[in-house]
Amino acid sequence: MADPEVNLALLVARIDQMEQQQKIVKRYVSKLKRRLDNLTEQFNNRPELQELECLRQEFGELQLHLNGKDVAKNGKSKNTDNSLEKTQKLLMSVEEFVKQYEEGELDFIGVNLAGANLSRHNLSGLNLCRANLSRSDLSEADLISTNLSGANLSEANLERANLKGANIMGANLRNAKLKGAIMPRGVIHV
């Protein structure tokens, strides 16, 4: 083989080798990116962040409430439409709740759905922080990644409900029926 042919063969072999290395690096980078995306999602869905958001909302509601008291004392009328809207939201019917959820609303902090029949409903990803769900029927409901921190679930029926990834920190589960429920860490309650 002549010298230029040897150089060409070596060059082709080196190019093939580099292409193989490039494929390996691409697979490795792809795995790293998936891992980083997974870690980012886990970080952004930490229960502490949901609890912090609940506290921010509560602080805002308290400020509105205090501003309303200032209005009563001073006799001045400020715009209280936002406060009225929040109060109405807390007292909504099950039908209105489901309608708003289906329209894309995810924030139902402090909503009062005591005794509601939400059996088999998909309520995944909702913010139900400090919601009153006492005596509600949530059997077989999907509550995946739902924020239920500080919620009142006393005497609620959560049998066979899926609570995987849900935040139940500070929730009242006294006398709740949990048989067959998938708990936040994926363990089935017996």
Side-chain angles (χ1 to χ4, degrees), residues 110-139:
V111 71
N112 185 356
L113 292 166
N117 183 359
L118 297 167
S119 178
R120 296 189 175 108
H121 277 80
N122 180 358
L123 306 174
S124 298
L126 289 182
N127 186 357
L128 291 166
C129 176
R130 296 185 329 277
N132 183 3
L133 296 162
S134 62
R135 299 177 315 283
S136 293
D137 185 0
L138 294 160
S139 59

Side-chain angles (χ1 to χ4, degrees), residues 20 22-32 34:
Q20 291 299 323
Q22 186 177 20
K23 287 179 185 177
I24 292 169
V25 168
K26 279 184 180 180
R27 282 194 301 253
Y28 182 71
V29 168
S30 177
K31 286 180 184 178
L32 283 177
R34 281 194 304 269

Side-chain angles (χ1 to χ4, degrees), residues 59-144:
F59 182 72
E61 290 170 13
L62 286 171
Q63 282 183 320
L64 283 173
H65 182 71
L66 290 174
N67 287 342
K69 285 190 175 185
D70 287 343
V71 169
K73 285 181 183 177
N74 297 333
K76 299 176 185 173
S77 70
K78 290 184 182 177
N79 187 353
T80 58
D81 289 344
N82 192 19
S83 179
L84 180 62
E85 183 180 310
K86 282 189 178 285
T87 302
Q88 288 172 342
K89 184 176 177 179
L90 296 177
L91 301 173
M92 73 176 64
S93 67
V94 174
E95 293 79 18
E96 182 63 23
F97 169 76
V98 171
K99 179 182 174 213
Q100 285 187 23
Y101 175 59
E102 288 174 350
E103 290 174 353
E105 179 66 40
L106 298 175
D107 190 13
F108 293 96
I109 294 174
V111 71
N112 185 356
L113 292 166
N117 183 359
L118 297 167
S119 178
R120 296 189 175 108
H121 277 80
N122 180 358
L123 306 174
S124 298
L126 289 182
N127 186 357
L128 291 166
C129 176
R130 296 185 329 277
N132 183 3
L133 296 162
S134 62
R135 299 177 315 283
S136 293
D137 185 0
L138 294 160
S139 59
E140 298 181 37
D142 275 324
L143 296 160
I144 298 168

